[in-house]
Amino acid sequence: MSAVAAVFRRELGGALDSPVAWAGTVLFVVGLHVLFFFLGYPIGDQRLPGFWAGGLASLDALFVWLPPIYAILAPALTMGSWAREFREGTDELLLTQPVTIRALVAGKFAASFALLGAMSLVAILSAALVVASVGPLDWGTVWGGLAGALALAAIHVAVGLLASAVGQEELVAFLLGSIVLLILWAAGLFVRVLPPTWAEALWYASPSLHFLEGGARGLFDLRDVVHAALAVGAALVLNGVVLVGRRWR
């Protein structure tokens, strides 16, 4: 556990020392608020007006934007986690230290998840406070949506870390992670026109659909918890497998 904590502190400290993380936080919060308050969500069947236009005390138009934004933001935050180590040659030093690969993967995941989770907390709660000052906001739905957003963020971070290990270069890792996650999000737009068997399979595979039909509505479903745990676990295990293969080259 101390090894995981050491990796966590190293990764999070490095991220917070970089102006990129702070700039990314500001862009994420401001961009999400502009989309929520002014633009709304004009995509697919779930078209929603912006808050000021719709006048409803709800965060629905904010939550529905999180999957496509996370699909870009999470790979951007994680693309250098392994790719930078490979480029600078520090991965060989890390992999020869008395630290297990499991601890390295867990520490890097925890640091990236903590960063994206904190960004999400700031963006969601600040928007909720503004909405609550205007009308009666259902805080139960807000807390449920926040929990679902954190689970969604964990999945995206785990996939982004895997892409960083597989891609080995930062740009390749970003593109690989973003493409995979955007495909999973975009596929959900067509779930209603697919045959029932395909639609059910897609629902199980897509993190976005689990979030939008569960946490984003303030609903708790054990299947969503199991899905998030399995998705994060599978991505982290595959990450370890990639690193083991690299160690024995």
Side-chain angles (χ1 to χ4, degrees):
M1 202 66 178
S2 60
V4 175
V7 176
F8 170 79
R9 289 193 298 269
R10 172 181 179 266
E11 295 296 316
L12 187 60
L16 295 179
D17 285 340
S18 169
V20 175
W22 296 102
T25 300
V26 172
L27 288 174
F28 169 64
V29 174
V30 172
L32 185 59
H33 283 193
V34 168
L35 293 172
F36 168 61
F37 285 109
F38 299 101
L39 180 62
Y41 188 78
I43 303 173
D45 295 333
Q46 287 186 305
R47 295 174 183 266
L48 297 169
F51 173 73
W52 298 121
L56 296 176
S58 165
L59 295 185
D60 289 350
L62 182 146
F63 287 135
V64 78
W65 271 113
L66 289 180
I69 291 177
Y70 281 170
I72 296 173
L73 181 59
L77 292 175
T78 58
M79 63 183 180
S81 293
W82 292 113
R84 189 179 301 112
E85 306 275 15
F86 299 155
R87 188 186 72 237
E88 297 175 355
T90 52
D91 63 304
E92 297 181 3
L93 179 62
L94 277 177
L95 295 176
T96 55
Q97 293 294 316
V99 179
T100 65
I101 287 179
R102 182 183 303 175
L104 288 172
V105 172
K108 283 180 176 286
F109 167 77
S112 295
F113 173 64
L115 183 59
L116 184 54
M119 294 166 67
S120 301
L121 284 170
V122 171
I124 293 170
L125 292 181
S126 58
L129 290 173
V130 173
V131 173
S133 69
V134 176
L137 178 63
D138 181 358
W139 280 97
T141 301
V142 174
W143 296 121
L146 181 57
L150 293 177
L152 184 69
I155 296 172
H156 283 64
V157 165
V159 173
L161 282 174
L162 176 59
S164 183
V166 172
Q168 300 189 17
E169 294 182 7
E170 291 178 66
L171 180 58
V172 175
F174 170 73
L175 292 174
L176 179 61
S178 294
I179 289 171
V180 169
L181 291 169
L182 284 172
I183 287 174
L184 289 174
W185 165 72
L189 300 176
F190 305 101
V191 69
R192 291 177 177 80
V193 300
L194 294 174
T197 302
W198 284 95
E200 184 176 4
L202 180 60
W203 183 84
Y204 279 109
S206 174
S208 303
L209 290 177
H210 280 268
F211 170 66
L212 294 175
E213 296 183 7
R217 299 180 180 180
L219 303 176
F220 176 84
D221 191 327
L222 184 59
R223 292 178 299 174
D224 296 334
V225 177
V226 172
H227 171 268
L230 289 176
V232 171
L236 296 182
V237 168
L238 288 174
N239 196 331
V241 170
V242 172
L243 294 175
V244 169
R246 186 175 180 86
R247 169 183 275 182
W248 294 107
R249 281 181 183 177

